[in-house]
Amino acid sequence: MSRRQVVGVLDVGTTKVVALLAEIGPNGQPIIKGFGECPTLGIRKGVVVDKTALSKSMARAMTLAKTMAGETVKAVYVSFPSYGSLTSELELTDEDLIQCVMLNDLEIKQVVASTVAAAEAVLTEIDRRLGTFLIDLGGATTGLTVFDQGNLIYADSLPVGSEHITSDLAVCLRTTLGEAERVKQELGLESSSPEVDLEIAGIGGQESRKVPVSTAVAVMQSRVQEILEMALQRVEHCYRLESLSGGVVLTGGGALLKGIINRVRSQLGLPQVKLGSVNNLGKLLPMEWTGPGYASSMGLLIHGTKRDSRRSENLFGWRGVFARRLK
């Protein structure tokens, strides 16, 4: 009987922690057995500020995944929203993050930048060969990666994300973050009725107010424009976007903002802009897991599965047998 392998991953985002446990199937594809998700605590602007709080978020997500799967793991792959350019193609090191994982009695197999993990899930081999600019719009950070001729040639991140759009709305409309988030999700960056007034809930029991839709949309457009200008400045410092035939792929929770594709297309001047979806796991996933919000989680799982499969082949294939006979 073949030995059953279970891969564990922890995707630590700025808004949520996702834990996955999956069995490696006969064809080398991961079969998800356990899923856990909870809000991220202890991270601010992509930086760990409270290790105890973050370790508890990890523990909650992992417990949910283990309970669903009826399995446990001793070591996990971890993804994290890196701030600044990466020092190597895949791996990054954050001592506080490592300590948080260790507080849960888990070993780390590898720490991968979230934006690189997302690319694993949403970019096809054709995307990588043609040349593609991936923008991962997270909560507090925006990851940037460029692939060309099949290789990762650039990876960076910005200390700003979709949460800043919400914060701008809360300040400008003088309302709560919850109400600002509702407005953001409802309106997006384009409105067919900009002259219509929007009813905004007051703060601390104050009466609701009416605000022009055009005002709220303008606030969101301004912040998105800033994020895209920063992204363009970072990438064009190293690479010409015009040479990327694959265009732009958007992922991350912020990519679900209404009108974001048209905004990116017009501001970056690239006709080819699309929403990233998890296509590298075929039909193995429920629909809700295939969207851009779970790209880094699923990409990390794909990456971990590939790595563990190769390690298994080395251990249990002819190379492993030969190595054991030499001992």
Side-chain angles (χ1 to χ4, degrees):
M1 183 181 294
S2 61
R3 180 175 174 179
R4 197 161 59 91
Q5 287 182 276
V6 177
V7 181
V9 304
L10 265 177
D11 177 31
V12 184
T14 54
T15 58
K16 66 180 183 293
V17 177
V18 174
L20 293 166
L21 295 183
E23 180 182 338
I24 300 179
N27 60 355
Q29 288 272 44
I31 303 171
I32 297 177
K33 298 294 186 180
F35 173 89
E37 178 182 344
C38 71
T40 301
L41 301 176
I43 292 181
R44 186 177 300 128
K45 297 181 180 179
V47 177
V48 178
V49 295
D50 187 333
K51 288 184 282 188
T52 301
L54 180 56
S55 66
K56 288 181 179 179
S57 293
M58 293 178 178
R60 176 60 177 162
M62 185 56 73
T63 297
L64 290 171
K66 288 178 179 178
T67 300
M68 179 185 291
E71 299 277 1
T72 187
V73 290
K74 295 181 179 180
V76 293
Y77 291 92
V78 181
S79 61
F80 190 66
S82 65
Y83 175 39
S85 57
L86 302 182
T87 55
S88 67
E89 195 172 90
L90 277 176
E91 297 185 54
L92 58 94
T93 301
D94 186 294
E95 292 299 331
D96 290 334
L97 176 69
I98 291 172
Q99 290 179 29
C100 290
V101 176
M102 293 176 65
L103 285 172
N104 287 287
D105 295 324
L106 291 169
E107 299 175 6
I108 295 178
K109 292 184 176 181
Q110 187 183 28
V111 182
V112 179
S114 296
T115 182
V116 177
E120 186 75 55
V122 304
L123 297 187
T124 65
E125 191 56 40
I126 294 176
D127 291 328
R128 296 167 192 264
R129 286 203 304 265
L130 288 176
T132 300
F133 180 24
L134 176 71
I135 302 178
D136 185 13
L137 289 161
T141 61
T142 296
L144 314 171
T145 55
V146 176
F147 286 82
D148 196 15
Q149 298 180 19
N151 299 312
L152 172 63
I153 62 172
Y154 179 80
D156 203 349
S157 66
L158 307 171
V160 62
S162 61
E163 285 184 347
H164 294 81
I165 303 173
T166 306
S167 299
D168 290 349
L169 280 172
V171 171
C172 294
L173 303 183
R174 294 180 312 207
T175 190
T176 64
L177 287 172
E179 179 71 350
E181 182 67 21
R182 181 190 70 80
V183 170
K184 182 179 77 173
Q185 298 298 333
E186 182 179 313
L187 291 183
L189 300 174
E190 299 173 352
S191 176
S192 57
S193 305
E195 70 283 353
V196 175
D197 285 339
L198 187 70
E199 189 162 339
I200 303 294
I203 300 176
Q206 295 182 4
E207 293 184 0
S208 60
R209 297 176 297 104
K210 290 189 179 294
V211 176
V213 166
S214 58
T215 299
V217 171
V219 170
M220 290 186 280
Q221 288 178 343
S222 178
R223 177 61 82 169
V224 170
Q225 179 179 341
E226 179 194 28
I227 293 173
L228 294 178
E229 285 176 351
M230 292 171 67
L232 188 60
Q233 185 179 23
R234 290 280 183 93
V235 173
E236 286 197 327
H237 181 70
C238 308
Y239 206 81
R240 289 178 58 252
L241 287 184
E242 294 82 4
S243 65
L244 300 176
S245 302
V248 178
V249 174
L250 300 175
T251 190
L256 296 173
L257 186 63
K258 295 176 184 177
I260 187 70
I261 290 179
N262 288 337
R263 192 71 182 180
V264 173
R265 185 180 291 123
S266 62
Q267 189 166 337
L268 298 188
L270 295 173
Q272 183 72 9
V273 180
K274 64 182 180 180
L275 193 64
S277 61
V278 181
N279 50 41
N280 289 348
L281 286 179
K283 298 180 180 179
L284 297 176
L285 296 179
M287 184 65 68
E288 62 268 23
W289 293 353
T290 62
Y294 290 100
S296 59
S297 305
M298 300 306 162
L300 183 65
L301 180 60
I302 293 169
H303 172 74
T305 300
K306 288 180 179 177
R307 231 182 128 166
D308 278 9
S309 294
R310 287 195 296 267
R311 184 181 294 112
S312 176
E313 289 172 2
N314 290 336
L315 278 175
F316 300 105
W318 66 267
R319 293 181 180 86
V321 173
F322 184 68
R324 286 193 292 274
R325 285 181 176 176
L326 290 178
K327 288 184 179 180

